[in-house]
Amino acid sequence: MTEFIGFIGDIKFHPPIMNASGVLCTTEEDLQAVLESRAGACVTKTMTLEPREGNPKPRCFWTQDFSVNSMGIPNKGVEYYVEAARRLKKYQKPMIASMAGLQKEEYFLLSEKLEKSDFHAIEVNLSCPNLEGKEIFAYDFQLAKEVLYQLRKRISKPMGVKLPPYSSRYHIQEIAKILLEVSVDFVSLSNSFPLGTAILSEKEETAILPNGGIGGLGGKAFRPIVLGQILLFQRHFKGQIPIIGVGGIEKGVHLYEHLLAGASLFQIGTALLREGPFLFQKILEEANHIFQQKGLSSYRDKCGKVKAPSPKDQKE
Ligand code: DHB
């Protein structure tokens, strides 16, 4: 049997598969459903200091190929999740709190509450694309650096960052340098592509209402983009920061692609939204089958080990 146990610091993820923040994680019952499934951990909906209703509906749309959402961070507020974690710790699986400030100072207030909570780790969301009139924090390197430095001083639990996708190698180099300097404990790659839309041709309408029909795009269509992010970040990190791969994982083979690119933990978003928590079992079985076929003693032997193709005998 191949060992399939991931680590963030000394927190053990067995198996290293969980929901992506935003899917099946807004209420205590949602989180309970994840913890009762074959997932090895859960992540909360991104929480803010106060509860939020979020954007007007329709605000989420999905097909077999992709999802688009502009939810606007509907969540129950930090106090609710701190209370829920107090009860959910009985499952003895790692619980990750995803949090985002609407302004810089809110990140610090959230960190104080979460530091004292039963959550095992904190995923700092610097990449919410759906707040009208606000830029994504992680596209402003100076701001991101300042927030992360301040948080690192306040948070002793394992602290990670959820980043948006970047479209420049230079930007990836810059943000990777900051993450290494701050010494974050993990990086989740990536949040959805921020400027997607879906158009319903019959109705001649956008599928979602908020933000002029524009929202974060994820799912199968997003997977090659995320694999590129993981590959590039991994080359900067050189194994020093674990990467959680998130984007387009629907089958064991997709998890294996994320692993080869450099992820050692895995989150499921769009496919979980569509198929429900039984999906964890299916992905786990498929991934284990691949590991066994390859004769691996630990899946980590393949982390970041993707090779270049041989240049000979290629038509193009
Ligand atoms: C929401 C979307 C995100 O991509 C995210 O990281 C946090 C919140 C939302 O719209 O609710």
Side-chain angles (χ1 to χ4, degrees):
M1 195 69 178
T2 307
E3 187 187 78
F4 194 28
I5 304 175
F7 288 91
I8 289 174
D10 48 21
I11 307 176
K12 207 168 164 177
F13 293 75
H14 188 196
I17 307 178
M18 66 205 90
N19 66 297
S21 178
V23 180
L24 199 59
C25 59
T26 300
T27 65
E28 185 170 340
E29 292 70 35
D30 291 341
L31 292 161
Q32 198 171 342
V34 173
L35 292 167
E36 286 178 357
S37 78
R38 291 295 307 278
C42 72
V43 189
T44 68
K45 171 71 185 168
T46 294
M47 62 188 81
T48 48
L49 214 46
E50 300 299 330
R52 288 170 57 86
E53 290 289 328
N55 290 336
K57 296 172 184 173
R59 58 191 185 179
C60 183
F61 174 81
W62 68 89
T63 70
Q64 288 298 316
D65 299 324
F66 68 93
S67 61
V68 176
N69 85 82
S70 181
M71 304 295 287
I73 329 191
N75 78 98
K76 295 184 170 294
V78 62
E79 303 290 355
Y80 174 93
Y81 296 103
V82 167
E83 275 301 307
R86 216 193 301 279
R87 289 183 287 272
L88 295 172
K89 70 178 176 220
K90 69 173 185 226
Y91 288 97
Q92 298 187 328
K93 289 183 178 181
M95 300 181 290
I96 302 178
S98 167
M99 60 92 139
L102 302 178
Q103 303 89 23
K104 191 169 71 175
E105 289 69 29
E106 195 174 330
Y107 278 97
F108 310 142
L109 296 171
L110 282 160
S111 71
E112 281 163 22
K113 296 192 185 283
L114 291 171
E115 176 66 6
K116 289 183 286 192
S117 73
D118 289 304
F119 285 103
H120 300 86
I122 300 174
E123 185 178 82
V124 179
N125 186 353
L126 292 181
S127 49
C128 178
N130 297 331
L131 293 169
E132 206 148 0
K134 287 197 197 295
E135 190 42 277
I136 291 174
F137 268 72
Y139 286 156
D140 180 336
F141 296 138
Q142 199 49 48
L143 181 62
K145 184 170 178 173
E146 197 188 323
V147 169
L148 291 176
Y149 261 106
Q150 293 291 333
L151 287 175
R152 184 76 280 188
K153 282 193 241 163
R154 291 167 161 86
I155 297 176
S156 66
K157 292 179 191 282
M159 172 187 123
V161 187
K162 179 119 172 229
L163 293 177
Y166 295 93
S167 50
S168 144
R169 287 172 190 261
Y170 168 73
H171 292 157
I172 290 180
Q173 181 184 319
E174 286 303 293
I175 196 84
K177 206 159 70 186
I178 293 170
L179 300 177
L180 285 162
E181 276 171 24
V182 174
S183 195
V184 300
D185 298 294
F186 67 95
V187 177
S188 302
L189 300 172
S190 301
N191 209 320
S192 46
F193 175 77
L195 300 179
T197 196
I199 293 179
L200 309 177
S201 59
E202 277 292 306
K203 293 175 153 177
E204 304 187 0
E205 291 173 355
T206 57
I208 61 169
L209 171 66
N211 280 324
I214 299 286
L217 181 135
K220 185 156 79 177
F222 185 50
R223 194 169 63 245
I225 293 175
V226 168
L227 291 174
Q229 305 286 307
I230 296 172
L231 200 54
L232 287 168
F233 272 98
Q234 182 258 146
R235 287 176 184 157
H236 291 290
F237 293 161
K238 300 187 173 72
Q240 295 171 84
I241 304 178
I243 294 172
I244 304 185
V246 46
I249 301 178
E250 323 192 312
K251 298 179 176 177
V253 66
H254 305 147
L255 184 152
Y256 200 67
E257 292 171 13
H258 274 242
L259 173 65
L260 289 169
S264 58
L265 302 106
F266 312 91
Q267 294 180 350
I268 320 294
T270 298
L272 180 63
L273 180 72
R274 224 175 33 228
E275 297 184 33
F278 183 72
L279 184 64
F280 289 116
Q281 161 95 4
K282 181 175 156 275
I283 292 177
L284 196 55
E285 280 172 6
E286 290 167 354
N288 270 320
H289 184 70
I290 297 172
F291 300 156
Q292 265 167 15
Q293 270 188 330
K294 303 260 182 192
L296 305 180
S297 58
S298 168
Y299 82 107
R300 276 199 302 275
D301 296 345
K302 289 289 181 184
C303 184
K305 294 290 166 60
V306 68
K307 295 174 287 196
S310 154
K312 56 182 185 319
D313 304 329
Q314 300 288 333
K315 284 208 185 90
E316 282 296 342

